[in-house]
Amino acid sequence: MQDTELLARAEAWLAEDPDPETREELTKLIGSADTAALAERFAGTLQFGTAGLRGELGAGPMRMNRSVVIRAAAGLAAYLRNKGEAGGLVVVGYDARHKSADFARDTAAVMTGAGLRAAVLPRPLPTPVLAFAIRHLGAVAGVEVTASHNPPRDNGYKVYLGDGSQIVPPADAGIAAEIAAIRTLHDVPRPDSGWEMLGEDVLEAYLARTDAVLSPDSPRTARTVYTAMHGVGKDTLLAAFARAGFPEPTLVAEQADPDPDFPTVAFPNPEEPGAMDLAFATAGEAAPDLIIANDPDADRCAVAVKDNDDWRMLRGDEVGALLAAHLVARGARGVFAESIVSSSLLGRIAEAAGVPYEETLTGFKWIARVDGLRYGYEEALGYCVDPEGVRDKDGITAALLVTELASTLKEDGRTLLDALDDLAVAHGLHATDQLSVRVEDLTIIAKAMTALRETPPTELAGLPVVKAEDLTHGTATLPPTDGLRYTLDGEYRARVIVRPSGTEPKLKCYLEAVIPVANRSDLPSARAEGTRVLNAIKQDLSTAAGI
């Protein structure tokens, strides 16, 4: 793009920008003729997809800002009207990040101006409360303003349709087309009022529903340390735990209250190195039975347990299997589902229990759509334990259920680690790991995927690759997606899945090897062998992908 064209685009954008902060930012860039910074902001537009929108805050079409959000809301409104939903209700929720409240208000204004009814949650609340409210209120769609566990500089825009689950193709393309058709923000009516501000009764209805995930007569004795990771989960989780009769969690004070700057963590994600350090330190003083962490919008749940003298984060696959086994033991029936990047252990548990099992593409937008779903999980700390109430991952109800399980085990002098050992003996040790590469330059991811497609590995960790699938073509049971899946030969039933992240600048590789276990005494050697195999796969895969 020529400098003159770039400056002309920036001037045109500035003329429409309703936000004084981004107007000031853009005015300075234009005034200083900072073409490099302008090029970053005007190189294209943030693409609306199945993850909605997510990006860095700032001025211009390549950033998250009020102009981009107003266009997204107008596109969604047009899509809904074209689907015959004129006059329908759209519920809007938001987290405590920078600009979230502004984006929520803009969305409500656009919906109202488009002839739809809009209702905004009363304050920053967990994403699962929004997912619940859509079904509870009979809405035709919902919007959650959140960037989940992304860095502080980001924000995002997540869209749900009337069944309470996130959008999937072709709805994303339909909405994107309507967004692209908007010529100017001056064509988008935005009244100053006319939408409803919901009261606390919606949250109360959600909290009443959380009771349903627990057995009426289960013990409630496990003591927890809890971190909200500077997000919006604390008040809702404490209220849910109090209703259930669990001991009041000990809070990680430094991370308890919402703070959009996330001052104690580089990335507000319990999976990131260092994010749980303050929780571990608090647990060292409080001596709880387990640590619970939510991500900032509280749709994910992390669990840590005492392992000898140290605290250890359980993998999402481990928590997913524990919750599944707990539900099976309670007599749960219905389909148990997971995404293809999650451990195959869930399938073994379901098979042994005689309950249906399904695999889906990555993301709860797919898991939530499984017919007859009773339980769904994904390795990235996402668990759906009450699909009739929340058709999405829910870090609050997952926290309740895992604390119920810990309480049940505690009554018998056992722990979550003992329960994991039981599963390993029953079904084999399902060792999982991830090779995750965060990049500044997205072309690195594209080059790695191209390298693997053009020259797929023939062996990993000395195990022959007996099946290499390019998932862009889809399979008999899965629609197309940008990913690769390798099945390895040998008794370990090892497999690898490689895919670009849909929400972060990461290449993610998911590894699994199943080590046979005859009895509990075999577990230490099985774990050592699992670690060895996964590390070797990781090394060989890195070489093959050039990362």
Side-chain angles (χ1 to χ4, degrees):
M1 192 186 310
Q2 296 295 323
D3 288 356
T4 54
E5 181 186 355
L6 182 61
L7 287 168
R9 285 193 65 190
E11 292 278 8
W13 186 273
L14 179 63
E16 294 185 353
D17 193 338
D19 189 331
E21 290 184 25
T22 47
R23 283 180 60 83
E24 181 182 357
E25 174 190 340
L26 197 49
T27 298
K28 288 179 179 177
L29 293 176
I30 293 171
S32 63
D34 189 342
T35 53
L38 287 170
E40 285 183 5
R41 290 159 173 77
F42 287 88
T45 59
L46 280 183
Q47 293 301 300
F48 187 94
T50 54
L53 293 168
R54 199 175 289 187
E56 184 177 347
L57 290 163
M62 286 296 289
R63 297 286 190 267
M64 281 296 296
N65 51 63
R66 290 183 60 197
S67 296
V68 165
V69 165
I70 290 167
R71 288 175 180 273
L76 173 60
Y79 174 84
L80 292 171
R81 289 199 313 269
N82 292 341
K83 291 293 183 181
E85 302 291 4
L89 175 66
V90 179
V91 187
V92 184
Y94 59 103
D95 67 11
R97 284 178 178 264
H98 293 297
K99 294 292 184 182
S100 286
D102 293 338
F103 294 167
R105 185 187 185 280
D106 282 330
T107 299
V110 170
M111 295 301 161
T112 303
L116 291 144
R117 292 181 296 125
V120 183
L121 292 183
R123 52 192 166 87
L125 287 168
T127 292
V129 177
L130 181 277
F132 166 82
I134 295 168
R135 294 169 68 86
H136 177 66
L137 298 174
V140 299
V143 171
E144 177 71 12
V145 180
T146 181
S148 188
H149 55 275
N150 275 40
R153 65 180 183 270
D154 290 359
N155 212 328
Y157 200 79
K158 186 183 293 188
V159 176
Y160 297 75
L161 293 181
D163 62 354
S165 60
Q166 298 173 48
I167 56 170
V168 296
D172 57 339
I175 297 168
E178 296 291 350
I179 295 171
I182 297 164
R183 293 177 304 162
T184 169
L185 292 192
H186 299 310
D187 295 338
V188 181
R190 284 182 290 129
D192 292 328
S193 62
W195 56 89
E196 179 185 0
M197 292 302 299
L198 295 168
E200 295 295 316
D201 54 327
V202 174
L203 178 60
E204 281 302 311
Y206 168 80
L207 288 170
R209 181 82 200 185
T210 63
D211 296 345
V213 306
L214 303 175
S215 291
D217 57 350
S218 63
R220 312 285 167 92
T221 56
R223 294 174 301 108
T224 57
V225 157
Y226 171 71
T227 175
M229 206 65 67
H230 298 296
V232 298
K234 180 193 71 173
D235 291 346
T236 304
L237 181 131
L238 290 181
F241 269 56
R243 289 178 66 102
F246 287 113
E248 182 177 357
T250 299
L251 299 178
V252 178
E254 301 93 332
Q255 298 174 335
D257 295 319
D259 188 331
D261 294 320
F262 303 100
T264 69
V265 287
F267 294 96
N269 178 355
E271 294 179 294
E272 292 285 347
M276 294 290 288
D277 286 354
L278 287 171
F280 295 155
T282 303
E285 298 175 4
D289 298 299
L290 70 165
I291 299 172
I292 299 287
N294 286 139
D295 66 340
D297 69 326
D299 63 350
R300 299 172 192 242
C301 176
V303 180
V305 294
K306 195 74 176 289
D307 189 1
N308 295 318
D309 294 330
D310 296 320
W311 285 91
R312 174 169 82 83
M313 271 276 290
L314 296 182
R315 293 186 179 277
D317 284 320
E318 292 176 314
V319 177
L322 286 170
L323 293 179
H326 182 49
L327 288 170
V328 163
R330 282 179 23 184
R333 284 295 178 265
V335 181
F336 281 44
E338 65 179 341
S339 63
I340 58 172
V341 299
S342 305
S343 171
S344 60
L345 178 55
L346 182 65
R348 309 279 185 277
I349 293 170
E351 182 181 17
V355 298
Y357 163 78
E358 283 195 29
E359 254 189 347
T360 75
L361 290 183
T362 308
F364 263 83
K365 57 185 176 283
W366 298 107
I367 294 171
R369 282 180 158 70
V370 170
D371 287 339
L373 181 68
R374 175 58 186 88
Y375 169 70
Y377 100 90
E378 189 158 70
E379 55 74 42
L381 310 182
Y383 316 96
C384 176
V385 302
D386 177 25
E388 291 307 307
V390 176
R391 207 95 177 148
D392 197 7
K393 54 186 177 290
D394 184 345
I396 305 297
T397 50
L400 287 171
L401 195 62
V402 78
T403 307
E404 177 187 64
L405 172 57
S407 298
T408 302
L409 293 164
K410 185 178 180 180
E411 296 295 296
D412 297 326
R414 307 178 77 237
T415 69
L416 295 176
L417 293 180
D418 294 320
L420 283 172
D421 288 349
D422 294 343
L423 291 173
V425 172
H427 305 290
L429 178 71
H430 286 62
T432 60
D433 201 357
Q434 190 177 129
L435 172 62
S436 181
V437 182
R438 184 182 293 273
V439 301
E440 293 291 333
D441 180 0
L442 290 176
T443 63
I444 294 172
I445 294 176
K447 288 175 182 175
M449 295 296 289
T450 298
L452 290 171
R453 285 192 168 103
E454 292 180 349
T455 312
T458 56
E459 94 174 11
L460 295 168
L463 302 171
V465 176
V466 294
K467 190 175 184 182
E469 299 170 274
D470 187 342
L471 299 178
T472 54
H473 306 303
T475 72
T477 57
L478 298 171
T481 188
D482 186 7
L484 302 164
R485 180 164 61 182
Y486 304 117
T487 304
L488 310 185
D489 196 14
E491 64 173 342
Y492 293 158
R493 293 180 288 178
R495 64 108 172 106
V496 174
I497 294 170
V498 184
R499 58 178 284 273
S501 170
T503 56
E504 298 178 271
K506 283 183 176 182
L507 181 68
K508 303 182 90 169
C509 311
Y510 307 83
L511 325 175
E512 180 176 56
V514 184
I515 314 299
V517 177
N519 51 61
R520 296 180 87 85
S521 63
D522 291 338
L523 284 170
S525 60
R527 289 194 181 95
E529 179 64 2
T531 299
R532 184 197 68 78
V533 172
L534 294 180
N535 284 341
I537 291 175
K538 223 188 262 192
Q539 185 173 347
D540 290 349
L541 188 63
S542 294
T543 301
I547 54 176

Coordinates of all heavy atoms in Angstrom, one line a residue, residues 42-121:
F42 N -3.6 -1.0 9.5 CA -4.5 -0.9 8.3 C -4.1 -1.9 7.2 O -4.5 -1.7 6.0 CB -4.5 0.5 7.7 CG -5.2 1.5 8.6 CD1 -4.6 2.2 9.6 CD2 -6.6 1.7 8.4 CE1 -5.3 3.0 10.4 CE2 -7.3 2.6 9.2 CZ -6.6 3.3 10.2
A43 N -3.3 -2.9 7.6 CA -2.9 -3.9 6.6 C -4.0 -4.8 6.1 O -3.9 -5.5 5.1 CB -1.8 -4.8 7.2
G44 N -5.1 -4.8 6.8 CA -6.3 -5.6 6.5 C -7.3 -5.3 7.5 O -7.4 -4.2 8.1
T45 N -8.1 -6.4 7.8 CA -9.1 -6.2 8.9 C -9.1 -7.5 9.8 O -8.7 -8.6 9.3 CB -10.5 -6.1 8.3 OG1 -10.8 -7.2 7.5 CG2 -10.7 -4.8 7.5
L46 N -9.4 -7.3 11.0 CA -9.5 -8.5 11.9 C -10.6 -9.4 11.3 O -11.7 -9.0 11.0 CB -9.9 -8.1 13.3 CG -8.9 -7.6 14.3 CD1 -9.5 -7.3 15.6 CD2 -7.7 -8.6 14.4
Q47 N -10.3 -10.7 11.1 CA -11.2 -11.6 10.5 C -12.2 -12.2 11.5 O -11.7 -12.7 12.5 CB -10.4 -12.7 9.7 CG -9.6 -12.2 8.6 CD -10.5 -11.5 7.5 OE1 -11.4 -12.1 7.0 NE2 -10.2 -10.2 7.3
F48 N -13.4 -12.1 11.2 CA -14.5 -12.7 12.0 C -14.6 -14.2 11.7 O -14.8 -14.6 10.5 CB -15.8 -12.0 11.8 CG -16.9 -12.5 12.8 CD1 -17.1 -11.8 14.0 CD2 -17.6 -13.6 12.5 CE1 -18.1 -12.2 14.8 CE2 -18.6 -14.0 13.4 CZ -18.8 -13.3 14.6
G49 N -14.4 -15.1 12.7 CA -14.5 -16.5 12.4 C -15.2 -17.2 13.5 O -16.0 -16.6 14.3
T50 N -15.0 -18.5 13.6 CA -15.7 -19.3 14.6 C -15.3 -19.0 16.1 O -16.0 -19.3 17.0 CB -15.5 -20.8 14.4 OG1 -14.1 -21.1 14.4 CG2 -16.2 -21.3 13.1
A51 N -14.1 -18.3 16.2 CA -13.8 -17.8 17.5 C -14.3 -16.3 17.7 O -13.9 -15.6 18.6 CB -12.3 -17.8 17.7
G52 N -15.1 -15.8 16.7 CA -15.5 -14.5 16.8 C -14.4 -13.5 16.4 O -13.7 -13.7 15.3
L53 N -14.1 -12.6 17.2 CA -12.9 -11.7 17.0 C -12.0 -11.7 18.2 O -12.5 -11.9 19.4 CB -13.4 -10.2 16.8 CG -14.2 -9.9 15.6 CD1 -14.9 -8.5 15.8 CD2 -13.3 -9.9 14.4
R54 N -10.8 -11.6 18.0 CA -9.9 -11.4 19.2 C -8.6 -10.8 18.7 O -8.1 -11.1 17.6 CB -9.5 -12.8 19.8 CG -9.0 -12.6 21.2 CD -8.8 -14.0 21.9 NE -10.0 -14.7 22.2 CZ -10.1 -15.8 23.0 NH1 -9.0 -16.4 23.4 NH2 -11.3 -16.3 23.2
G55 N -8.1 -9.8 19.4 CA -6.9 -9.1 18.9 C -6.5 -8.0 19.9 O -7.1 -7.8 21.0
E56 N -5.4 -7.3 19.6 CA -4.8 -6.3 20.4 C -5.7 -5.0 20.4 O -6.2 -4.7 19.3 CB -3.4 -6.0 20.0 CG -2.7 -5.0 20.8 CD -1.2 -4.8 20.4 OE1 -0.8 -5.6 19.5 OE2 -0.6 -3.8 20.8
L57 N -5.9 -4.4 21.5 CA -6.6 -3.1 21.5 C -5.8 -2.0 20.8 O -4.6 -2.0 20.9 CB -6.9 -2.7 23.0 CG -7.9 -3.6 23.7 CD1 -7.8 -3.3 25.3 CD2 -9.3 -3.3 23.3
G58 N -6.5 -1.1 20.2 CA -5.9 0.0 19.5 C -6.7 0.5 18.4 O -7.8 0.0 18.1
A59 N -6.2 1.5 17.6 CA -7.0 2.1 16.5 C -6.8 1.3 15.2 O -5.7 0.7 15.0 CB -6.5 3.5 16.4
G60 N -7.8 1.3 14.4 CA -7.6 0.8 13.1 C -8.3 -0.6 12.9 O -8.6 -1.3 13.9
P61 N -8.5 -1.0 11.7 CA -9.3 -2.3 11.4 C -8.6 -3.6 11.8 O -9.2 -4.6 11.9 CB -9.5 -2.2 9.9 CG -8.5 -1.3 9.4 CD -8.2 -0.3 10.4
M62 N -7.3 -3.5 12.1 CA -6.5 -4.7 12.5 C -6.4 -4.7 14.1 O -5.6 -5.5 14.6 CB -5.1 -4.7 11.9 CG -5.1 -5.1 10.4 SD -5.7 -6.7 10.1 CE -4.3 -7.7 10.8
R63 N -7.1 -3.9 14.8 CA -7.1 -3.9 16.2 C -8.5 -4.0 16.8 O -9.5 -3.8 16.0 CB -6.5 -2.6 16.7 CG -5.1 -2.3 16.3 CD -4.1 -3.2 17.1 NE -2.7 -2.8 16.9 CZ -1.9 -3.4 16.1 NH1 -2.4 -4.3 15.2 NH2 -0.7 -3.1 15.9
M64 N -8.6 -4.4 18.0 CA -9.9 -4.4 18.7 C -10.3 -3.0 19.2 O -9.5 -2.4 19.9 CB -9.9 -5.4 19.9 CG -10.1 -6.8 19.5 SD -11.7 -7.2 18.7 CE -12.8 -6.9 20.0
N65 N -11.4 -2.4 18.8 CA -11.8 -1.1 19.2 C -13.3 -0.9 18.9 O -13.9 -1.8 18.4 CB -11.0 0.0 18.4 CG -11.0 -0.3 16.9 OD1 -12.1 -0.3 16.3 ND2 -9.9 -0.6 16.3
R66 N -13.8 0.2 19.3 CA -15.3 0.4 19.2 C -15.7 0.4 17.8 O -16.8 -0.2 17.5 CB -15.6 1.7 19.9 CG -15.5 1.7 21.4 CD -16.0 3.0 22.0 NE -17.4 3.2 21.7 CZ -18.0 4.4 21.8 NH1 -17.3 5.5 22.2 NH2 -19.3 4.6 21.5
S67 N -15.0 0.9 16.9 CA -15.4 0.9 15.5 C -15.5 -0.6 14.9 O -16.5 -0.9 14.3 CB -14.4 1.6 14.6 OG -14.3 3.0 14.9
V68 N -14.5 -1.4 15.2 CA -14.6 -2.8 14.8 C -15.7 -3.5 15.5 O -16.5 -4.3 14.8 CB -13.2 -3.5 15.1 CG1 -13.3 -5.0 15.1 CG2 -12.1 -3.0 14.2
V69 N -16.0 -3.3 16.8 CA -17.1 -3.9 17.5 C -18.4 -3.5 16.9 O -19.3 -4.3 16.8 CB -16.9 -3.6 19.0 CG1 -18.2 -4.0 19.7 CG2 -15.8 -4.4 19.6
I70 N -18.6 -2.2 16.6 CA -19.9 -1.7 16.1 C -20.1 -2.4 14.8 O -21.3 -2.8 14.5 CB -19.8 -0.2 16.0 CG1 -19.9 0.4 17.4 CG2 -21.0 0.3 15.1 CD1 -19.5 1.9 17.4
R71 N -19.1 -2.6 13.9 CA -19.3 -3.3 12.7 C -19.7 -4.7 12.9 O -20.6 -5.3 12.2 CB -18.0 -3.2 11.8 CG -17.8 -1.8 11.2 CD -16.5 -1.7 10.5 NE -16.2 -0.4 10.0 CZ -16.7 0.0 8.8 NH1 -17.3 -0.8 8.0 NH2 -16.5 1.3 8.4
A72 N -19.0 -5.4 13.9 CA -19.3 -6.8 14.1 C -20.7 -6.9 14.6 O -21.4 -7.9 14.2 CB -18.3 -7.3 15.2
A73 N -21.1 -6.0 15.5 CA -22.5 -6.1 16.0 C -23.5 -5.9 14.9 O -24.6 -6.6 14.9 CB -22.7 -5.1 17.2
A74 N -23.2 -4.9 14.1 CA -24.2 -4.6 13.0 C -24.2 -5.8 12.0 O -25.3 -6.2 11.5 CB -23.7 -3.4 12.2
G75 N -23.1 -6.5 11.8 CA -23.1 -7.7 10.9 C -23.9 -8.8 11.5 O -24.7 -9.5 10.9
L76 N -23.8 -9.0 12.8 CA -24.5 -10.0 13.5 C -26.0 -9.7 13.5 O -26.9 -10.6 13.3 CB -24.1 -10.1 15.0 CG -24.9 -11.1 15.9 CD1 -24.9 -12.5 15.4 CD2 -24.3 -11.0 17.3
A77 N -26.4 -8.4 13.7 CA -27.8 -8.0 13.7 C -28.4 -8.3 12.3 O -29.5 -8.8 12.2 CB -27.9 -6.6 14.1
A78 N -27.7 -7.9 11.2 CA -28.2 -8.2 9.9 C -28.3 -9.7 9.6 O -29.3 -10.1 9.0 CB -27.2 -7.6 8.9
Y79 N -27.4 -10.5 10.1 CA -27.5 -11.9 9.9 C -28.7 -12.5 10.6 O -29.5 -13.3 10.1 CB -26.2 -12.6 10.5 CG -26.2 -14.1 10.5 CD1 -25.9 -14.8 9.4 CD2 -26.6 -14.8 11.7 CE1 -25.9 -16.2 9.4 CE2 -26.6 -16.2 11.7 CZ -26.3 -16.9 10.5 OH -26.3 -18.3 10.5
L80 N -29.0 -12.0 11.9 CA -30.1 -12.5 12.6 C -31.4 -12.1 11.9 O -32.4 -12.9 11.8 CB -30.1 -12.0 14.0 CG -29.0 -12.5 14.9 CD1 -28.9 -11.7 16.2 CD2 -29.1 -14.0 15.2
R81 N -31.5 -10.9 11.4 CA -32.7 -10.4 10.7 C -32.9 -11.3 9.5 O -34.1 -11.7 9.2 CB -32.6 -8.9 10.4 CG -32.7 -8.0 11.5 CD -33.1 -6.6 11.1 NE -32.3 -6.1 9.9 CZ -31.1 -5.5 10.1 NH1 -30.6 -5.2 11.3 NH2 -30.4 -5.1 9.0
N82 N -31.9 -11.6 8.8 CA -32.0 -12.4 7.5 C -32.5 -13.8 7.9 O -33.0 -14.5 7.0 CB -30.7 -12.4 6.8 CG -30.3 -11.1 6.2 OD1 -31.2 -10.2 6.0 ND2 -29.1 -10.9 5.9
K83 N -32.2 -14.2 9.1 CA -32.6 -15.6 9.5 C -34.0 -15.6 10.1 O -34.5 -16.6 10.7 CB -31.6 -16.1 10.5 CG -30.3 -16.5 9.9 CD -30.4 -17.6 9.0 CE -29.0 -18.0 8.4 NZ -29.1 -19.1 7.5
G84 N -34.7 -14.4 10.0 CA -36.1 -14.3 10.5 C -36.2 -14.1 12.0 O -37.2 -14.3 12.6
E85 N -35.1 -13.5 12.6 CA -35.1 -13.3 14.0 C -35.3 -11.9 14.4 O -35.0 -11.4 15.5 CB -33.8 -13.8 14.6 CG -33.4 -15.3 14.4 CD -34.3 -16.2 15.1 OE1 -35.3 -15.8 15.8 OE2 -34.1 -17.4 15.0
A86 N -35.9 -11.1 13.5 CA -36.1 -9.7 13.8 C -37.0 -9.6 15.1 O -38.0 -10.3 15.2 CB -36.8 -9.0 12.6
G87 N -36.6 -8.7 16.0 CA -37.4 -8.6 17.2 C -36.9 -9.5 18.3 O -37.4 -9.5 19.5
G88 N -36.0 -10.5 18.0 CA -35.6 -11.4 18.9 C -34.6 -10.8 20.0 O -34.1 -9.7 19.8
L89 N -34.4 -11.5 21.1 CA -33.6 -11.0 22.2 C -32.1 -11.5 22.0 O -31.8 -12.6 21.7 CB -34.1 -11.6 23.5 CG -33.3 -11.3 24.8 CD1 -33.3 -9.8 25.1 CD2 -33.8 -12.1 25.9
V90 N -31.2 -10.5 22.2 CA -29.8 -10.8 22.2 C -29.2 -10.4 23.5 O -29.4 -9.2 24.0 CB -29.1 -9.9 21.1 CG1 -27.5 -10.2 21.1 CG2 -29.6 -10.3 19.7
V91 N -28.6 -11.3 24.2 CA -28.1 -11.1 25.6 C -26.6 -10.8 25.4 O -25.9 -11.4 24.7 CB -28.2 -12.3 26.5 CG1 -27.8 -12.0 27.9 CG2 -29.7 -12.8 26.5
V92 N -26.1 -9.8 26.1 CA -24.7 -9.3 26.0 C -24.1 -9.4 27.4 O -24.6 -8.9 28.4 CB -24.6 -7.9 25.5 CG1 -23.2 -7.5 25.3 CG2 -25.4 -7.7 24.2
G93 N -22.9 -10.1 27.5 CA -22.1 -10.2 28.7 C -20.7 -9.6 28.4 O -20.3 -9.5 27.3
Y94 N -20.0 -9.4 29.5 CA -18.7 -8.8 29.3 C -17.8 -9.1 30.5 O -18.3 -9.4 31.6 CB -18.7 -7.3 29.0 CG -19.4 -6.5 30.1 CD1 -18.6 -5.7 31.0 CD2 -20.8 -6.5 30.2 CE1 -19.2 -5.0 32.0 CE2 -21.4 -5.7 31.2 CZ -20.6 -4.9 32.1 OH -21.2 -4.2 33.1
D95 N -16.5 -9.1 30.3 CA -15.6 -9.4 31.4 C -15.0 -8.0 31.9 O -15.6 -7.0 31.6 CB -14.5 -10.3 31.0 CG -13.5 -9.8 29.9 OD1 -13.6 -8.6 29.6 OD2 -12.7 -10.6 29.4
A96 N -13.9 -8.0 32.6 CA -13.4 -6.8 33.2 C -12.2 -6.3 32.5 O -11.4 -5.4 33.1 CB -13.1 -7.0 34.7
R97 N -11.9 -6.7 31.3 CA -10.8 -6.2 30.6 C -11.0 -4.7 30.1 O -12.2 -4.2 30.1 CB -10.6 -7.0 29.3 CG -9.9 -8.4 29.6 CD -9.7 -9.2 28.4 NE -9.0 -10.4 28.7 CZ -7.7 -10.7 28.6 NH1 -6.9 -9.7 28.1 NH2 -7.2 -11.8 28.9
H98 N -9.9 -4.1 29.7 CA -10.0 -2.7 29.2 C -11.0 -2.7 28.0 O -10.9 -3.5 27.1 CB -8.7 -2.2 28.7 CG -7.7 -2.0 29.8 ND1 -7.9 -1.1 30.8 CD2 -6.5 -2.6 30.1 CE1 -6.8 -1.1 31.6 NE2 -6.0 -2.0 31.2
K99 N -12.0 -1.8 28.0 CA -12.9 -1.5 27.0 C -14.1 -2.5 26.9 O -15.0 -2.4 26.1 CB -12.2 -1.5 25.6 CG -11.3 -0.3 25.4 CD -12.0 1.0 25.4 CE -11.1 2.2 25.1 NZ -11.8 3.5 25.1
S100 N -14.1 -3.5 27.8 CA -15.2 -4.5 27.7 C -16.5 -3.9 27.9 O -17.5 -4.2 27.1 CB -14.9 -5.7 28.7 OG -13.9 -6.5 28.2
A101 N -16.7 -3.1 28.9 CA -18.0 -2.5 29.2 C -18.4 -1.6 28.0 O -19.6 -1.6 27.6 CB -17.9 -1.7 30.5
D102 N -17.5 -0.9 27.4 CA -17.8 0.0 26.2 C -18.3 -0.9 25.1 O -19.3 -0.5 24.4 CB -16.6 0.8 25.8 CG -16.2 1.8 26.8 OD1 -17.0 2.2 27.6 OD2 -15.0 2.3 26.8
F103 N -17.6 -2.0 24.8 CA -17.9 -2.8 23.7 C -19.3 -3.5 23.9 O -20.1 -3.6 23.0 CB -16.9 -3.9 23.5 CG -15.5 -3.5 23.1 CD1 -14.4 -4.3 23.1 CD2 -15.3 -2.2 22.6 CE1 -13.2 -3.9 22.7 CE2 -14.1 -1.7 22.2 CZ -13.0 -2.6 22.3
A104 N -19.6 -3.8 25.2 CA -20.9 -4.4 25.5 C -22.0 -3.3 25.2 O -23.1 -3.7 24.7 CB -21.0 -4.9 26.9
R105 N -21.8 -2.1 25.7 CA -22.8 -1.1 25.5 C -23.0 -0.8 24.0 O -24.2 -0.6 23.6 CB -22.4 0.2 26.2 CG -23.4 1.3 26.2 CD -22.9 2.6 26.7 NE -23.9 3.6 26.8 CZ -24.3 4.3 25.8 NH1 -23.8 4.1 24.6 NH2 -25.3 5.2 25.9
D106 N -21.9 -0.7 23.2 CA -22.1 -0.5 21.8 C -22.9 -1.6 21.1 O -23.7 -1.4 20.3 CB -20.7 -0.4 21.1 CG -20.0 0.9 21.4 OD1 -20.7 1.9 21.5 OD2 -18.8 1.0 21.4
T107 N -22.6 -2.8 21.6 CA -23.4 -4.0 21.0 C -24.9 -3.9 21.3 O -25.7 -4.1 20.4 CB -22.8 -5.3 21.6 OG1 -21.4 -5.4 21.2 CG2 -23.6 -6.5 21.0
A108 N -25.2 -3.5 22.5 CA -26.6 -3.3 22.9 C -27.2 -2.2 22.1 O -28.4 -2.4 21.6 CB -26.7 -3.1 24.4
A109 N -26.5 -1.1 21.9 CA -27.1 0.0 21.1 C -27.3 -0.4 19.6 O -28.4 -0.1 19.1 CB -26.1 1.2 21.2
V110 N -26.4 -1.2 19.1 CA -26.5 -1.6 17.7 C -27.7 -2.5 17.5 O -28.5 -2.4 16.6 CB -25.2 -2.2 17.2 CG1 -25.5 -2.9 15.8 CG2 -24.1 -1.2 17.0
M111 N -27.8 -3.5 18.4 CA -29.0 -4.4 18.4 C -30.3 -3.7 18.5 O -31.2 -4.0 17.8 CB -28.8 -5.5 19.5 CG -27.6 -6.4 19.4 SD -27.6 -7.3 17.8 CE -25.9 -7.8 17.7
T112 N -30.3 -2.7 19.4 CA -31.6 -2.0 19.6 C -31.9 -1.2 18.3 O -33.0 -1.1 17.9 CB -31.4 -1.0 20.8 OG1 -31.1 -1.8 22.0 CG2 -32.7 -0.2 21.0
G113 N -30.9 -0.5 17.8 CA -31.1 0.2 16.5 C -31.5 -0.6 15.4 O -32.1 -0.1 14.4
A114 N -31.1 -1.9 15.4 CA -31.5 -2.8 14.3 C -32.8 -3.4 14.5 O -33.2 -4.3 13.6 CB -30.4 -3.8 14.1
G115 N -33.6 -3.1 15.5 CA -34.9 -3.6 15.7 C -34.9 -4.9 16.5 O -36.0 -5.6 16.7
L116 N -33.8 -5.3 17.1 CA -33.7 -6.5 18.0 C -33.9 -6.0 19.4 O -33.7 -4.8 19.7 CB -32.4 -7.2 17.8 CG -32.3 -8.0 16.5 CD1 -30.8 -7.9 16.0 CD2 -32.7 -9.4 16.6
R117 N -34.2 -6.9 20.3 CA -34.2 -6.5 21.7 C -32.8 -6.9 22.3 O -32.3 -8.0 22.0 CB -35.3 -7.3 22.5 CG -36.7 -6.8 22.0 CD -37.8 -7.6 22.8 NE -37.7 -9.0 22.5 CZ -37.6 -10.0 23.4 NH1 -37.5 -9.7 24.7 NH2 -37.7 -11.3 23.0
A118 N -32.3 -6.1 23.2 CA -31.0 -6.3 23.8 C -31.1 -6.3 25.3 O -31.8 -5.5 25.8 CB -30.0 -5.3 23.3
A119 N -30.4 -7.2 25.9 CA -30.3 -7.2 27.4 C -28.9 -7.4 27.8 O -28.2 -8.3 27.3 CB -31.2 -8.3 28.0
V120 N -28.4 -6.6 28.7 CA -27.0 -6.6 29.1 C -26.9 -7.2 30.6 O -27.7 -6.7 31.4 CB -26.3 -5.2 29.0 CG1 -24.9 -5.3 29.4 CG2 -26.5 -4.6 27.6
L121 N -26.0 -8.1 30.8 CA -25.8 -8.6 32.1 C -25.4 -7.5 33.1 O -24.8 -6.5 32.7 CB -24.7 -9.7 32.2 CG -25.0 -11.0 31.4 CD1 -23.9 -12.0 31.6 CD2 -26.3 -11.6 31.9

